[in-house]
Amino acid sequence: MPELPEVEVVRRGLAEHVVGRVIDAVSVTHPRSVRRHLEGAADLAARLQGLRVDSAQRRGKFLWLTFDDPEYALVVHLGMSGQMLVQPADAPQEKHAHIRATLHDGTQLRFVDQRTFGGWALSPLVDVDGTRLPEAVAHIARDPLDPLFDLDRAVAAIRAKRTEIKRVLLDQNVISGVGNIYADEALWRAKIHGNRIASALTKTAIRDLLTEATAVMRDALTAGGTSFDALYVNVNGESGYFERALNVYGREDEPCRRCGAPVQRMRFMNRSSFFCGKCQPKPRGV
């Protein structure tokens, strides 16, 4: 699933190519792509028709468009393989283009989703801590790249958790935007094993970890995100290349770039965790 840097790359593309344009028509060709919009495809298409896109916004890994109608937003769930592509109307249709929004300038915004885990849904806008958010996103914590992110508040929230620090990093209600890849990379940079208990870490250690999480996501954003296959692309269909700079994720048995010890892999929350056994010693009993 794309994480904060990948979603931010898409958001920037939408801000450049879609914001300010009016939606002339919307067509939906796969019901799963609008399953979160409980009123159905026809209602979604009718309510979007004629609206001007005012902004492309993001919190953590969640993406949405706002319109000149201030009451609701279009929440875009990218899922495992969702793509938001801006194409000329006469460009060949992608095999898995399940939603197409034709804009007034003749271009199309296409939602392409091979695995159909993602989709579009309209959500009412609500006020949360002085910020207008889609109701579907209101429970999501601020992410480290948010200008209003409160580092001290995040440190306190993390230290209150009596569970593994990696599990806390992945909890979007505590801190948003960090997924499996960047959690492993931030933990490696901070020299902390993911199975360490959050409440047992010092404030300084957690501050350092959040600083590293912020840095690794900024680095990934500069590189256009991380693409392991053709499923993650920006609005122009281009892949990111931060994979080349990953220090531990996906590098099992390769030498740690800091100490030379082999990178290890272990199962964690039905996924894989990668770490350096020397730089990030396991806590006792793990």
Side-chain angles (χ1 to χ4, degrees):
M1 180 175 291
E3 301 180 30
L4 184 156
E6 292 77 48
V7 177
E8 175 62 12
V9 168
V10 174
R11 187 205 67 78
R12 291 180 181 184
L14 294 174
E16 179 179 356
H17 297 287
V18 176
V19 168
R21 290 167 172 78
V22 175
I23 298 174
D24 283 348
V26 175
S27 63
V28 179
T29 56
H30 200 304
R32 277 186 56 82
S33 293
V34 293
R35 66 189 180 281
R36 295 179 180 87
H37 187 77
L38 301 183
E39 295 82 1
D43 179 83
L44 179 79
R47 290 170 64 182
L48 288 175
Q49 185 174 8
L51 294 182
R52 184 189 70 242
V53 182
D54 273 359
S55 70
Q57 301 187 32
R58 175 195 58 75
R59 173 169 285 195
K61 299 182 282 187
F62 293 79
L63 174 70
W64 65 92
L65 299 177
T66 65
F67 306 97
D68 48 349
D69 185 323
E71 298 302 317
Y72 56 88
L74 177 67
V75 178
V76 178
H77 298 267
L78 295 176
M80 294 292 292
S81 61
Q83 303 171 359
M84 294 281 278
L85 302 181
V86 178
Q87 300 276 38
D90 59 356
Q93 293 292 324
E94 296 81 5
K95 180 178 179 180
H96 302 287
H98 303 314
I99 306 175
R100 296 190 299 276
T102 301
L103 309 178
H104 75 286
D105 63 355
T107 60
Q108 287 187 343
L109 175 60
R110 300 176 182 175
F111 181 69
V112 180
D113 189 9
Q114 178 178 327
R115 297 174 180 170
T116 65
F117 290 152
W120 290 9
L122 290 171
S123 180
L125 285 165
V126 297
D127 289 312
V128 180
D129 294 333
T131 303
R132 291 280 280 173
L133 296 173
E135 191 172 57
V137 181
H139 63 292
I140 301 300
R142 293 188 186 276
D143 63 70
L145 301 191
D146 189 319
L148 298 180
F149 179 73
D150 188 329
L151 180 59
D152 291 335
R153 183 176 179 179
V155 169
I158 291 172
R159 291 199 78 219
K161 300 293 183 180
R162 298 177 180 270
T163 188
E164 299 98 331
I165 183 62
K166 180 172 179 179
R167 188 182 297 269
V168 179
L169 284 178
L170 299 178
D171 186 345
Q172 303 300 296
N173 296 316
V174 178
I175 175 174
S176 67
V178 184
N180 200 41
I181 296 173
Y182 300 118
D184 282 357
E185 291 297 303
L187 288 163
W188 179 84
R189 290 186 179 203
K191 299 183 180 180
I192 297 173
H193 193 282
N195 285 107
R196 293 279 300 277
I197 300 302
S199 59
L201 294 171
T202 66
K203 290 182 180 179
T204 299
I206 295 175
R207 289 179 69 91
D208 289 346
L209 175 59
L210 292 180
T211 298
E212 295 296 355
T214 304
V216 73
M217 289 193 291
R218 288 193 188 280
D219 290 346
L221 184 55
T222 300
T226 301
S227 301
F228 287 105
D229 55 33
L231 295 183
Y232 163 68
V233 295
N234 65 17
V235 298
N236 297 315
E238 300 166 338
S239 296
Y241 54 90
F242 189 66
E243 179 192 0
R244 305 170 192 172
L246 294 174
N247 288 297
V248 284
Y249 189 87
R251 299 188 63 242
E252 184 180 10
D253 295 329
E254 295 181 36
C256 170
R257 292 189 171 126
R258 185 165 48 212
C259 73
V263 172
Q264 300 178 35
R265 180 176 66 89
M266 65 181 295
R267 298 296 296 169
F268 185 82
M269 294 175 62
N270 296 319
R271 64 193 82 187
S272 292
S273 280
F274 297 89
F275 63 98
C276 172
K278 184 176 180 180
C279 295
Q280 303 164 266
K282 293 181 182 180
R284 291 181 180 179
V286 175

